[in-house]
Amino acid sequence: MQRVKVGLHSVRSRALVVACAVVAFAVCLAAKDFVRPAAQPAKTYPAHDDHTDEKVAIAADPYDTAEKAKIFSVNFHEHGFLPVFFIVTNDGDRPISIANMQVTFTTANHDKLTPDSPEDIYRRFTNPRANTDPTPLPIPLPHKKVKGTITQKEKDEIESSAFAAKAVEPHSTQSGFFFFDVEDIPAPLAGARIFVSGVNDAKGTELMYFEIPMGK
């Protein structure tokens, strides 16, 4: 009888160890999933436009450095995209609609860029532009992954990070990323501005456009 009790205890102990290992593995996997930055009120960001009378503020936070880009597993810079964290704060007592919101990134040279859709980004990943440099390198540079492919995890990350809100409830904030194709634009943030229109109040009246300076 004593041996049976010891055996059961041993089985239970092994089962507990296995269960803990499974949970730890699941936590590790979850830790690798994309986590969107926690949005602060829009007017607390350096680049913002605050309409105090309408109690609506919009901010744009470019993820243009390697340190900030660490939140992504996708290398957007490598593919010519600039991620911009977009924040809309409604401090009013009624909801606002952003279902028809239009965002335009205007460079210092007056190039007008609109956010690329996830499908546009997939297309760039799977059909990158050909290298037209006539001077071949003597030694091929190593790449982390073969260009012309995109994984399901990368697709999930692009879709989950993208700005998708259609409205902002009273005294709340909505956020997400817009991705701009800046592949052929050197120093895209210098002198750039983001213009936002199509923000409507609860009565359907469009608010004055927002203008967000992005860089000197």
Side-chain angles (χ1 to χ4, degrees):
M1 183 64 67
Q2 183 65 27
R3 290 181 180 178
V4 172
K5 290 183 179 180
V6 171
L8 288 174
H9 177 73
S10 178
V11 169
R12 289 172 180 172
S13 298
R14 286 197 297 269
L16 181 60
V17 170
V18 171
C20 290
V22 170
V23 171
F25 180 70
V27 169
C28 290
L29 287 178
K32 295 180 181 179
D33 290 341
F34 174 78
V35 177
R36 183 181 297 179
Q40 304 303 314
K43 59 186 178 183
T44 65
Y45 291 83
H48 74 272
D49 188 5
D50 185 8
H51 288 195
T52 55
D53 291 343
E54 298 161 333
K55 297 183 179 180
V56 178
I58 299 180
D61 185 16
Y63 274 55
D64 58 325
T65 66
E67 183 64 28
K68 294 175 75 172
K70 285 181 179 179
I71 67 168
F72 298 108
S73 65
V74 178
N75 191 334
F76 289 101
H77 176 73
E78 180 184 63
H79 293 279
F81 290 105
L82 172 65
V84 176
F85 191 48
F86 202 74
I87 307 98
V88 182
T89 298
N90 176 15
D91 286 326
D93 296 325
R94 294 186 176 184
I96 60 172
S97 172
I98 53 177
N100 298 317
M101 184 173 67
Q102 297 180 349
V103 178
T104 304
F105 185 109
T106 304
T107 69
N109 292 327
H110 306 292
D111 297 307
K112 294 184 177 181
L113 314 176
T114 54
D116 282 68
S117 67
E119 290 73 20
D120 294 328
I121 300 173
Y122 303 158
R123 195 174 300 114
R124 171 66 59 79
F125 273 59
T126 56
N127 295 285
R129 296 180 182 180
N131 182 7
T132 56
D133 186 353
T135 305
L137 293 173
I139 302 175
L141 295 176
H143 294 285
K144 293 183 178 179
K145 72 187 188 83
V146 178
K147 291 199 174 192
T149 62
I150 184 168
T151 67
Q152 186 60 50
K153 180 180 179 180
E154 289 172 330
K155 287 184 177 181
D156 292 342
E157 180 171 295
I158 292 168
E159 292 180 8
S160 63
S161 63
F163 191 97
K166 300 300 181 184
V168 186
E169 295 300 315
H171 306 287
S172 66
T173 295
Q174 292 286 355
S175 64
F177 281 90
F178 285 127
F179 302 94
F180 297 93
D181 183 356
V182 296
E183 185 175 33
D184 298 322
I185 303 175
L189 290 172
R193 292 177 179 273
I194 288 182
F195 294 90
V196 184
S197 60
V199 178
N200 298 335
D201 64 17
K203 296 180 180 179
T205 303
E206 184 174 350
L207 307 185
M208 180 69 70
Y209 72 88
F210 293 76
E211 181 178 351
I212 307 170
M214 297 303 297
K216 298 180 180 180

